[in-house]
Amino acid sequence: MKQSKWNILLILLLGISLAGNIALSARILQPTAQSSDVTLQEKPEAATDEDITSAQNTTASDTEETAYNTDYDFHSNAQYDERLSIFELNHSQADVIFAGDSITQKYLVNEFFPDVNLLNRGIGSDVSAGLLDRMDEILSHDPNKIFILIGINDIGKTISPDDTISNVSQCLQLCNDQNIQVYLISILPVVELEGQEYNDEVIALNQQYKALCDSQNVTYLDLYDSFLNEDGSVNADNYGPDGVHLNANGYTILSDFLSSYIYQ
């Protein structure tokens, strides 16, 4: 009888010890599981930040680290063929032509220069390859001067700066071959949202534009600083809600700058 009591007591003690070990194991495992959850939530954010920083700070020589868009087809832009087909209906001569993307398309040049025989050849969302492809139509108007403003969409569509420079270079050369006075306008800064650094790429490409113009004896018109505040920030008062396209203030600045080149 005494032996049975001792057996029962031993069993109870073993049970209590086992329960304690289980509870202790649970307490050890629980923080580990919580820590894993935090890591899983934070890792994608950290990786995304690194990817953005890497993409924004990569130069043209770092092509292995940058996933440039080599397959972009400017014909995929719905505006391109539609506007070009309309342009081709006009066979009149023009003394001055403005060529570029949507910043040019929205530029009411006839309002700013009503006494000048000019044409607007801007197509929204166009890139340098698209402009090069339609240079024949532009040159068919036998202009004396051509003002080119292109490149912001190349940056936005992650087109290689080398490809952009090659396309723009060919555009300039076509003008030079016909003894047309061509002006390459710098890419304008944009009003960046928090975390964006597009203007670093704009500045880098503008530096290449200047070097290109120097090599081809082309006039480079640097308007970048004209859209900055005294502290170096972009003056949002010159832009529409999207921070990319100009408003009346912005186009007035652009026109005032270009005026002497148009009338000289």
Side-chain angles (χ1 to χ4, degrees):
M1 188 67 175
K2 289 182 179 181
Q3 183 67 33
S4 298
K5 289 182 179 180
W6 283 110
N7 289 340
I8 293 172
L9 180 59
L10 180 61
I11 292 172
L12 289 174
L13 290 174
L14 289 174
I16 292 171
S17 176
L18 180 60
N21 289 336
I22 293 174
L24 178 62
S25 298
R27 290 176 62 187
I28 293 174
L29 289 174
Q30 187 174 1
T32 303
Q34 290 173 344
S35 176
S36 176
D37 289 341
V38 171
T39 302
L40 288 174
Q41 291 171 356
E42 291 178 350
K43 266 189 176 180
E45 294 178 2
T48 301
D49 290 341
E50 291 171 3
D51 291 343
I52 291 173
T53 301
S54 175
Q56 290 168 338
N57 295 334
T58 300
T59 62
S61 62
D62 298 322
T63 53
E64 293 183 356
E65 299 178 8
T66 303
Y68 287 125
N69 185 352
T70 59
D71 299 323
Y72 179 71
D73 179 8
F74 53 84
H75 287 292
S76 65
N77 171 18
Q79 301 179 71
Y80 187 88
D81 291 323
E82 178 182 353
R83 285 186 63 81
L84 182 56
S85 64
I86 295 175
F87 292 161
E88 290 171 341
L89 298 176
N90 185 347
H91 303 290
S92 64
Q93 190 274 335
D95 293 331
V96 178
I97 292 181
F98 290 84
D101 48 40
S102 56
I103 296 176
T104 298
Q105 179 179 329
K106 294 173 180 289
Y107 189 7
L108 302 179
V109 290
N110 296 100
E111 302 297 329
F112 285 98
F113 307 105
D115 56 340
V116 179
N117 175 25
L118 51 77
L119 287 175
N120 184 317
R121 287 297 179 262
I123 295 182
S125 300
D126 202 12
V127 295
S128 59
L131 177 62
L132 175 59
D133 188 70
R134 57 190 176 92
M135 281 300 294
D136 284 346
E137 190 282 325
I138 293 171
L139 296 173
S140 71
H141 298 281
D142 193 26
N144 298 316
K145 299 177 181 179
I146 296 178
F147 292 83
I148 294 175
L149 176 52
I150 197 77
I152 191 63
N153 291 315
D154 289 55
I155 293 174
K157 299 181 187 302
T158 62
I159 293 172
S160 164
D162 289 342
D163 289 342
T164 300
I165 293 299
S166 175
N167 294 331
V168 173
S169 176
Q170 293 177 72
C171 291
L172 300 180
Q173 189 58 54
L174 288 170
C175 295
N176 284 337
D177 290 345
Q178 296 194 23
N179 296 316
I180 297 171
Q181 180 69 56
V182 58
Y183 302 87
L184 180 60
I185 302 173
S186 62
I187 304 171
L188 305 180
V190 300
V191 180
E192 297 172 326
L193 300 177
E194 184 177 356
Q196 294 180 338
E197 295 182 7
Y198 289 115
N199 288 330
D200 288 347
E201 297 181 64
V202 171
I203 292 171
L205 192 51
N206 278 340
Q207 291 173 342
Q208 292 182 268
Y209 274 7
K210 185 180 186 307
L212 174 63
C213 288
D214 290 342
S215 69
Q216 294 197 18
N217 195 29
V218 167
T219 302
Y220 174 68
L221 302 179
D222 189 356
L223 279 92
Y224 188 94
D225 289 350
S226 299
F227 289 85
L228 303 181
N229 294 308
E230 292 183 359
D231 63 0
S233 62
V234 179
N235 188 346
D237 292 340
N238 299 322
Y239 292 82
D242 63 4
V244 176
H245 297 95
L246 305 180
N247 58 18
N249 292 335
Y251 280 118
T252 298
I253 293 173
L254 180 61
S255 299
D256 289 344
F257 189 102
L258 299 180
S259 179
S260 61
Y261 297 95
I262 292 174
Y263 288 110
Q264 70 180 14

